[in-house]
Amino acid sequence: MQYRAFLLLLFFVISPMALSAPLVVVLSEGLPKEIKQNIQAHLGALPDNDSERAAFILMAKKKTLNALNALGYYRASVTSLTSEPRDNNEITLTINVVLNQPTLINKVDVVLAGDALNDSAFTELISDLAIRSGDILHHGAYEKLKIDLASLGLERGYFTNKFTKATIAIHRNLKTADIIIHYDSGPRYQFGEITFNYLGINPSVLKPLVPFKVGDFYQQRLLQNLQNELDETQYFSNVVVRPSTEKSTEANNASILAIDISLKKAKSHQLDLGLGYATDTKENFSLVWKTPAVNNYGHKQETRLSYSKINPTGSFVYSIPLTHPNNDIFQFKALLEENDFADLTSKFTSFQMGRVYLEDEILRQPYVRYLNEKWDVDGAMYDNANYFIPGFTWSDKTWQGSVLDPSNGFRQYYNVEGSYEALNSETSFLRFNARWKYIALVAPKHRVVTRAELGYIITKNNVGAELSPSLRFYAGGDQSIRGFAYQSIGPKTELLHGPNQGDEIVTGGTNMIVASIEYQYYFTNEWRGALFSDGGSVNNTDKLNLAYSVGTGIHYISPIGPIRFALGYPLSEQDKSWRIHFSIGADL
């Protein structure tokens, strides 16, 4: 009743002209930014009509005090003054704030009950609280602590958790306060029976994906890992992993929670069409046919046809799960390819079988392959060869930020393979290849990208006469030494026969070293400029015959990866001219 009477009095005091005037709120000068923002948030939006304006003015002081209390200023004083409208027809509400000394935390009393008492995650959380004795009282920090406790409980399977007491006790002198939180986690649930509702894939294939056993304590992140692993298999178009609370049971003083996995079969056959362009390989058209699940044992196949003027290819890959459908598989590969290696045109067929497995976050691949290769110069047959080649590949990649445009990252790749004449191979050799790429955001908007590649071949005889072009090393091009044509750097041989007798052709070498450094500057989140220097050498001896270049470029970070346009200038050449390079793809 008193409140309504006050409003009536306010209407009589303020003239009709004032009631129709807009309201402007002015806060005391010198207030910290956080305090100003909190007061404005508590006051809310400015009123739109007469009745709202009267209520706004009436409640302004109380709301300001609440905003100050939330930040620990319980001893602050607030006065307000409303001015009559002036020439600009505005009413000004001035709120004067004197902060005085803030209320400090006397003690933080967090008491656990239930199974969380013996949970190391809760012990770690409480031992490193963000609020401590002597801090300025902050209601937001208090609420965040409660949220952290409740969230951690749900993440770790305490589904009946509750706060038996949670309060901020302000002392009478308003100088200090106690934070008191009593949290009862209740029992911690354990993983129960796991049910797959789709039988198109044999359960024995999917079970290795489950990162927990029946009876293990519940952890939400393990369910998320399971969902990610099931998605990665590509067997399913939709995956839902959820705890079934309606199937929860009690057994031997333990709370058991069943896990239901809902799976929807992926399309039996998938076709993908692709278009691309790079200055090294020119236009590229591709057709990919995938069968995610050939049978209920999780076998899959991928057939790819790709055409470009430089290297038209056809490939077939058949994968069989071993101990893990994502991380341990047996692969059979068939590859038919035509490629221009510098001045040699090569046609080869390769059949490969091997194991691909992930161990200690490193991808490893032991294999054996058969290679049949024929090559020519200007259409005239030059040579052909057959090889049986055992080998091993080891690779790893880490990054931070976006996969397409990482702020930091490192990629490493190693391959060793060889052959022996006694295995009915053309020649004996041992081939080693290593590649590294490092990305670092050294400062906001400033990024450095470095890469290096080494190659070395030990052969029995003269490589120029014995080794196939696809096994030799070359340099030059978008991903090598820019400013030079694709695979144009390497040892040369003079043609002794044919219509081009006397011409020199690049045949590739047994030793290679390539390095690059590039500085990038981000103009916006989508555009960046680049300055680079590339260099390297390809030889059949241990002597260096360096080719090097400098250049500049512009990159657009598109949804499919950076689109890179670069101009390279070959400093080591006598006939120097700028060369354009264009490529698309992820940085790592």
Side-chain angles (χ1 to χ4, degrees):
M1 185 69 183
Q2 291 178 342
Y3 172 74
R4 294 175 64 183
F6 183 83
L7 281 179
L8 288 173
L9 178 62
L10 194 64
F11 273 112
F12 282 109
V13 171
I14 300 177
S15 69
M17 180 180 178
L19 286 174
S20 61
L23 181 67
V24 176
V25 177
V26 177
L27 297 177
S28 301
E29 293 184 0
L31 290 176
K33 182 179 180 180
E34 182 185 17
I35 292 176
K36 273 190 174 182
Q37 290 176 342
N38 206 43
I39 293 173
Q40 290 166 350
H42 275 70
L43 290 174
L46 293 176
D48 294 326
N49 54 54
D50 296 345
S51 59
E52 288 182 2
R53 184 181 299 110
F56 186 96
I57 294 172
L58 176 65
M59 297 300 296
K61 180 177 179 179
K62 182 178 180 180
K63 289 182 177 181
T64 301
L65 285 170
N66 289 339
L68 295 168
N69 291 346
L71 299 179
Y73 290 90
Y74 278 84
R75 292 188 285 171
S77 63
V78 176
T79 57
S80 63
L81 176 65
T82 305
S83 67
E84 292 292 333
R86 299 183 181 180
D87 295 340
N88 57 5
N89 202 32
E90 289 181 346
I91 296 176
T92 301
L93 173 61
T94 303
I95 301 176
N96 296 306
V97 177
V98 179
L99 291 177
N100 296 318
Q101 291 299 312
T103 301
L104 302 181
I105 297 174
N106 178 55
K107 68 175 181 178
V108 180
D109 183 23
V110 180
V111 178
L112 295 180
D115 289 353
L117 272 171
N118 300 313
D119 190 330
S120 60
F122 277 90
T123 303
E124 182 178 348
L125 174 63
I126 292 175
S127 65
D128 190 27
L129 292 178
I131 50 179
R132 295 180 174 84
S133 176
D135 290 350
I136 296 175
L137 177 62
H138 194 300
H139 286 229
Y142 161 75
E143 293 295 338
K144 183 178 183 303
L145 175 56
K146 289 170 59 181
I147 291 172
D148 289 346
L149 285 166
S151 299
L152 183 60
L154 293 176
E155 288 171 7
R156 297 182 67 78
Y158 300 95
F159 295 111
T160 60
N161 74 84
K162 61 183 179 180
F163 292 98
T164 57
K165 186 175 183 180
T167 187
I168 298 175
I170 307 297
H171 296 177
R172 288 184 177 181
N173 59 11
L174 303 181
K175 293 181 179 180
T176 55
D178 296 335
I179 291 179
I180 303 169
I181 298 176
H182 292 179
Y183 174 80
D184 186 354
S185 69
R188 185 177 184 184
Y189 280 74
Q190 299 174 9
F191 287 115
E193 180 184 359
I194 302 164
T195 304
F196 294 94
N197 72 349
Y198 170 68
L199 300 179
I201 298 293
N202 194 313
S204 64
V205 177
L206 302 179
K207 282 183 179 179
L209 300 173
V210 180
F212 52 83
K213 303 186 295 293
V214 173
D216 286 352
F217 283 122
Y218 178 94
Q219 293 185 65
Q220 179 61 37
R221 67 174 182 84
L222 295 180
L223 288 190
Q224 187 60 55
N225 289 347
L226 174 56
Q227 175 140 348
N228 294 341
E229 290 279 13
L230 287 166
D231 283 329
E232 190 177 337
T233 65
Q234 300 181 9
Y235 298 148
F236 314 105
S237 61
N238 187 57
V239 176
V240 177
V241 179
R242 68 177 187 88
S244 180
T245 53
E246 60 271 17
K247 295 181 182 179
S248 62
T249 59
E250 298 287 332
N252 299 323
N253 296 323
S255 300
I256 308 298
L257 193 63
I259 304 299
D260 283 345
I261 301 176
S262 176
L263 304 170
K264 184 178 179 181
K265 180 184 177 181
K267 291 181 179 179
S268 298
H269 301 281
Q270 301 172 7
L271 290 176
D272 295 320
L273 294 173
L275 299 174
Y277 181 85
T279 48
D280 286 350
T281 56
K282 309 304 180 184
E283 302 87 356
N284 183 285
F285 308 91
S286 64
L287 172 65
V288 180
W289 167 39
K290 295 180 181 179
T291 308
V294 175
N295 51 40
N296 64 350
Y297 295 103
H299 296 194
K300 61 180 66 175
Q301 73 83 25
E302 179 180 309
T303 302
R304 179 185 296 268
L305 301 175
S306 179
Y307 175 78
S308 74
K309 293 181 180 179
I310 303 298
N311 64 329
T313 63
S315 65
F316 171 78
V317 179
Y318 193 88
S319 302
I320 302 172
L322 296 176
T323 63
H324 192 287
N326 293 329
N327 299 338
D328 188 10
I329 59 177
F330 180 85
Q331 279 190 342
F332 173 80
K333 297 181 180 180
L335 176 66
L336 179 64
E337 181 172 343
E338 179 178 319
N339 206 337
D340 287 348
F341 294 99
D343 296 312
L344 303 176
T345 299
S346 166
K347 297 179 180 180
F348 64 82
T349 304
S350 173
F351 299 96
Q352 177 176 312
M353 64 179 70
R355 181 186 177 196
V356 182
Y357 64 100
L358 191 68
E359 185 177 301
D360 299 327
E361 303 301 320
I362 295 171
L363 191 65
R364 307 161 195 262
Q365 183 178 4
Y367 63 86
V368 61
R369 66 184 177 119
Y370 166 75
L371 174 67
N372 171 261
E373 187 166 2
K374 300 176 182 179
W375 61 98
D376 60 58
V377 179
D378 290 338
M381 179 60 67
Y382 194 74
D383 209 342
N384 68 87
N386 295 286
Y387 302 89
F388 285 97
I389 306 172
F392 188 88
T393 296
W394 186 95
S395 61
D396 180 39
K397 181 168 64 175
T398 59
W399 70 90
Q400 295 176 350
S402 166
V403 176
L404 297 177
D405 185 37
S407 56
N408 294 277
F410 180 62
R411 182 188 69 203
Q412 52 186 328
Y413 167 90
Y414 306 92
N415 172 254
V416 59
E417 60 180 9
S419 191
Y420 188 56
E421 285 179 324
L423 298 176
N424 199 30
S425 293
E426 181 73 17
T427 186
S428 298
F429 70 90
L430 182 64
R431 184 179 188 271
F432 173 77
N433 184 219
R435 303 172 201 153
W436 304 271
K437 191 169 187 179
Y438 177 71
I439 296 173
L441 192 69
V442 294
K445 297 187 177 184
H446 300 269
R447 194 170 82 150
V448 173
V449 178
T450 60
R451 56 180 167 84
E453 182 174 4
L454 293 176
Y456 195 82
I457 305 175
I458 302 172
T459 59
K460 182 179 178 181
N461 298 311
N462 186 339
V463 67
E466 301 289 342
L467 206 59
S468 297
S470 67
L471 297 173
R472 307 174 199 171
F473 295 114
Y474 308 83
D478 302 341
Q479 307 301 319
S480 180
I481 304 175
R482 287 162 289 187
F484 294 83
Y486 179 54
Q487 296 186 341
S488 63
I489 300 172
K492 297 180 179 180
T493 298
E494 183 178 325
L495 293 176
L496 302 178
H497 307 286
N500 296 313
Q501 181 178 350
D503 288 354
E504 283 193 332
I505 61 170
V506 176
T507 58
T510 56
N511 303 337
M512 176 190 65
I513 180 170
V514 171
S516 170
I517 185 168
E518 179 168 306
Y519 165 75
Q520 299 171 351
Y521 178 80
Y522 285 82
F523 302 110
T524 68
N525 290 334
E526 290 80 29
W527 290 94
R528 69 186 180 215
L531 297 172
F532 63 83
S533 178
D534 302 338
S537 173
V538 181
N539 261 308
N540 287 328
T541 66
D542 293 334
K543 292 178 60 178
L544 288 177
N545 185 18
L546 287 176
Y548 46 94
S549 66
V550 295
T552 185
I554 187 77
H555 304 169
Y556 171 67
I557 294 86
S558 76
I560 60 173
I563 300 174
R564 293 176 285 266
F565 176 85
L567 286 173
Y569 190 73
L571 295 175
S572 57
E573 296 296 281
Q574 290 184 347
D575 298 326
K576 301 177 176 65
S577 63
W578 290 95
R579 177 173 288 273
I580 297 173
H581 297 274
F582 179 84
S583 62
I584 303 174
D587 287 326
L588 279 179

